[in-house]
Amino acid sequence: MTGRMTVYFDGGARPNPGRMEIAVVTGGRSHVRDDVGQGDNCTAEWLALCFAAEIARAAAAQDVLFVGDSRTIVEQALGRWACRSPQLQPHLAAYRAIVAAIPRVHVRHVRRSKNLAGYALAQRHPR
């Protein structure tokens, strides 16, 4: 694969904590997983980033930009903020193991209004 693969990720729990769901959007295609267990929003965001990384690795991507709206998850994935939660540390370790096979990995924070995966989840819960 050539060029950069951009992968949007988002996760949420309803209520928080509650039933988690995650979404990944790349190449104009949405990948949504319902009911990925019970947990909080941070856990759901980590599960979404790991799912995004799995999709990128399966596509044999060489240069990946992961885009998410959770500042905490983005900063922890970049190694700028420590992940002190024993509950979340296994997800950070899983993410690092998955992306170890990808030569170039970038992670960027965007506002929720710019996260395509956030839209994919929001469409499932009309107001």
Side-chain angles (χ1 to χ4, degrees):
M1 175 173 210
T2 60
R4 176 176 282 182
M5 180 180 191
T6 301
V7 187
Y8 295 84
F9 67 94
D10 196 22
R14 293 178 180 272
N16 185 23
R19 185 182 62 82
M20 296 182 295
E21 59 187 8
I22 59 176
V24 171
V25 175
T26 187
R29 185 165 175 228
S30 297
H31 307 265
V32 178
R33 287 187 176 169
D34 288 313
D35 202 8
V36 292
Q38 294 289 314
D40 60 17
N41 283 334
C42 281
T43 301
E45 292 280 358
W46 269 116
L47 293 174
L49 179 54
C50 288
F51 184 33
E54 290 169 1
I55 289 170
R57 185 176 65 185
Q62 300 296 301
D63 186 1
V64 182
L65 171 62
F66 296 107
V67 180
D69 59 40
S70 171
R71 170 78 66 192
T72 299
I73 301 322
V74 167
E75 295 295 337
Q76 289 177 347
L78 290 169
R80 294 181 190 158
W81 292 1
C83 180
R84 292 185 177 91
S85 168
Q87 174 186 333
L88 300 178
Q89 288 171 350
H91 301 300
L92 173 59
Y95 164 76
R96 287 181 175 159
I98 297 164
V99 299
I102 303 171
R104 286 176 301 284
V105 174
H106 316 273
V107 187
R108 181 179 303 151
H109 176 261
V110 295
R111 293 187 319 259
R112 180 153 180 82
S113 63
K114 301 289 185 186
N115 187 353
L116 298 180
Y119 280 113
L121 286 181
Q123 288 178 348
R124 303 169 66 77
H125 303 285
R127 294 183 186 241

